[in-house]
Amino acid sequence: MQDDNEFLTVLDYLYGKSLMLQDTGGFNRVLYFYLIDSLAHIDYTAGIYAYNYGSPKNIIGAEYMRWRIDEEKKGDRAKFPGFINWLRENLPAKFAALPSLWQMIYDTEDPASYRSFRIVPDPDSKKPVPAGFFFAIIDEFFEPEFLKSIYEDASLGTLFSSYCAQH
């Protein structure tokens, strides 16, 4: 592994972020699950680029990813993808303010997806995702306005609760 691997810088950038100033216990539980899940996908994808596939870091990440497949089906977590698409159709400004990773992965009209737990923005491309992409999406998840919105009684939290009650 080269010391100048740009994806090690991405991982350092992600690991340097903190939720210390947030009361994560006050976050909407489903939105918090998907926040942490998205960070895990970022970690896993950048980790695959930074370390060999069989490294302990990537094996541990893959184990989490296998666990989360069942977890996302529990309770209101299963409604999250529908909620994202409902926002796109009914509240486009709110949808546009979401982290772009959520927009890409959960929008049924976007080809981006998680493939083998990796973030794949363009399934037709064989090129690695550029490091700059990761810096941008990491910053979006740690934007103060976004974090404030996912509390149970905040804008996104209350919208999700309302959506769940209707669907």
Side-chain angles (χ1 to χ4, degrees), residues 13 17 133-144 146:
Y13 189 70
K17 297 291 186 178
F133 170 84
F134 291 99
F135 290 112
I137 62 174
I138 290 166
D139 282 343
E140 290 174 351
F141 282 110
F142 287 92
E143 279 289 322
F146 170 70

Side-chain angles (χ1 to χ4, degrees), residues 1-9 49-51:
M1 180 173 56
Q2 298 176 3
D3 288 335
D4 62 344
N5 183 317
E6 64 187 334
F7 293 99
L8 289 175
T9 306
Y49 292 138
Y51 301 100

Side-chain angles (χ1 to χ4, degrees), residues 3 6 26 28 33 38 41 49 51 68 72-74 81 85 96 106 125 144 147 159:
D3 288 335
E6 64 187 334
N28 175 286
F33 172 84
S38 296
H41 280 282
Y49 292 138
Y51 301 100
R68 55 99 35 216
E72 75 178 345
K73 297 173 187 169
K74 292 181 178 177
N85 286 283
Y106 299 106
S125 175
L147 291 173
L159 277 173

Side-chain angles (χ1 to χ4, degrees), residues 13-20 22 24 27 35-36 38-39 42 99 134-148 150:
Y13 189 70
L14 174 61
Y15 300 151
K17 297 291 186 178
S18 174
L19 293 172
M20 183 67 74
Q22 303 297 323
T24 58
F27 287 161
L35 165 67
I36 298 303
S38 296
L39 298 178
I42 292 168
F134 291 99
F135 290 112
I137 62 174
I138 290 166
D139 282 343
E140 290 174 351
F141 282 110
F142 287 92
E143 279 289 322
E145 290 304 311
F146 170 70
L147 291 173
K148 283 192 266 183
I150 66 172

